[in-house]
Amino acid sequence: MLVVIKQDYDEMSKEAALLVADLIHRKPNCVLGFATGSTPLGLYQELIRMYREEGLDFSKVTTFNLDEYVGLPPEHPQSYHYFMWENLFKHINVDRRYVHIPHGMAVDVEEFCEWYEERIKQAGGIDLQILGIGANGHIAFNEPGSSLGSRTRIKTLDEFTKRDNARFFENQEEVPKYTITMGVGTIMDAKSLLLLASGNSKADAIHATVEGPITALYPATIVQMHRKATIICDEEAASKLSRKYSGYLS
Ligand code: F6R
């Protein structure tokens, strides 16, 4: 696992964008896994800038998002469909036929989840999966206690995550109870992982992920077992690491 510590959020975002752009240059038809939330917004801004100013070409890229709230239609402002189109996809030349985001209104959720797993396989697997991390150690919506071998499925949101995500809704009652999320096993199948973390609120989670024991109580800790995982974080998120120098391999 490569841990890269950058000074602040902007530096973290730019470093992450270089890594993503490098993959697109090497493999224009690559498969990218995207995350939502506050953390990757700076990365997405930088990718948009690279598209506009440097001609970074997304036309052959296939995308898969990590998760979506159950019960929110794609046009709902808090849905992850809406988030991805507003914050990235509508600003770049991605081909909408190659975009995949779990469908929050799927009639048969189980069948949908199987189809999603199958689509990832048909696309040749995910080349690079971008991840944020919950302060409780979740990746995607694999909350503490999630099976480390899990596949795409429906999950109940943790009370902690509901409180955390209430900032995006009118009140906590409006936060959906369930999500469709890639499983920990699905994420671990990606050929490479890029986990981003910024701010003091993520310091404990980053400490556990990099230096703690692997446990389903902190699903992100499984990243230690991945053959090609990069964590890019800022100094605040790295502040609780005991071995703290940028660019170290663990
Ligand atoms: C979002 C996702 C979540 C977030 C995590 C951190 O698609 O999968 O795991 O990455 O909750 O969210 P932020 O970045 O808002 O702190």
Side-chain angles (χ1 to χ4, degrees):
M1 175 156 67
L2 172 66
V3 182
V4 180
I5 303 169
K6 304 303 284 185
Q7 199 180 354
D8 55 26
Y9 179 77
D10 278 356
E11 294 296 313
M12 176 200 78
S13 303
K14 284 185 184 141
E15 186 74 16
L18 287 175
L19 210 138
V20 175
D22 177 60
L23 173 61
I24 298 174
H25 287 135
R26 283 187 290 115
K27 187 176 177 188
N29 64 343
C30 63
V31 180
L32 291 179
F34 283 111
T36 59
S38 314
T39 311
L41 283 173
L43 159 65
Y44 297 162
Q45 281 299 316
E46 186 60 13
L47 291 177
I48 293 167
R49 189 199 64 72
M50 287 171 155
Y51 163 70
R52 288 186 181 147
E53 294 175 14
E54 297 165 13
L56 184 63
D57 181 14
F58 292 85
S59 63
K60 296 190 182 69
V61 172
T62 296
T63 77
F64 287 92
N65 259 77
L66 287 170
D67 40 21
E68 176 61 288
Y69 291 115
V70 169
L72 297 194
E75 61 280 5
H76 191 289
Q78 301 311 333
S79 76
Y80 288 168
H81 266 85
Y82 191 89
F83 176 101
M84 286 310 298
W85 282 98
E86 279 305 301
N87 292 300
L88 182 63
F89 295 152
K90 81 174 189 192
H91 306 286
I92 58 177
N93 65 336
V94 75
D95 184 332
R96 66 166 58 235
R97 290 171 306 170
Y98 301 156
V99 170
H100 304 85
I101 305 174
H103 208 297
M105 300 300 281
V107 180
D108 186 333
V109 174
E110 209 172 311
E111 196 181 340
F112 177 83
C113 293
E114 276 170 29
W115 174 84
Y116 204 69
E117 288 277 332
E118 202 46 45
R119 279 299 298 139
I120 296 174
K121 268 196 219 138
Q122 285 165 359
I126 294 171
D127 290 301
L128 174 68
Q129 177 64 56
I130 296 159
L131 298 168
I133 183 170
N136 64 354
H138 74 209
I139 43 174
F141 277 128
N142 296 288
E143 300 287 20
S146 293
S147 159
L148 297 179
S150 51
R151 312 303 307 183
T152 303
R153 68 212 183 292
I154 188 165
K155 280 290 288 175
T156 310
L157 273 186
D158 195 277
E159 281 307 312
F160 176 92
T161 305
K162 272 197 342 249
R163 275 199 303 279
D164 205 30
N165 287 8
R167 67 188 194 276
F168 300 114
F169 292 82
E170 295 270 304
N171 56 60
Q172 202 178 313
E173 272 56 61
E174 286 194 17
V175 183
K177 287 192 182 60
Y178 305 105
T179 64
I180 292 176
T181 179
M182 275 188 207
V184 181
T186 320
I187 293 168
M188 288 295 284
D189 282 350
K191 289 164 203 157
S192 59
L193 302 179
L194 172 59
L195 189 151
L196 303 178
S198 163
N200 285 315
S201 64
K202 301 294 172 71
D204 284 323
I206 287 298
H207 175 227
T209 301
V210 179
E211 297 178 343
I214 296 170
T215 165
L217 291 177
Y218 254 102
T221 57
I222 193 67
V223 167
Q224 292 175 24
M225 296 292 288
H226 199 280
R227 284 203 223 158
K228 206 170 169 224
T230 303
I231 296 183
I232 307 181
C233 57
D234 62 12
E235 284 176 0
E236 285 187 0
S239 60
K240 294 197 174 162
L241 291 177
S242 64
R243 298 179 315 126
K244 201 182 338 161
Y245 43 94
S246 195
Y248 77 84
L249 288 164
S250 69

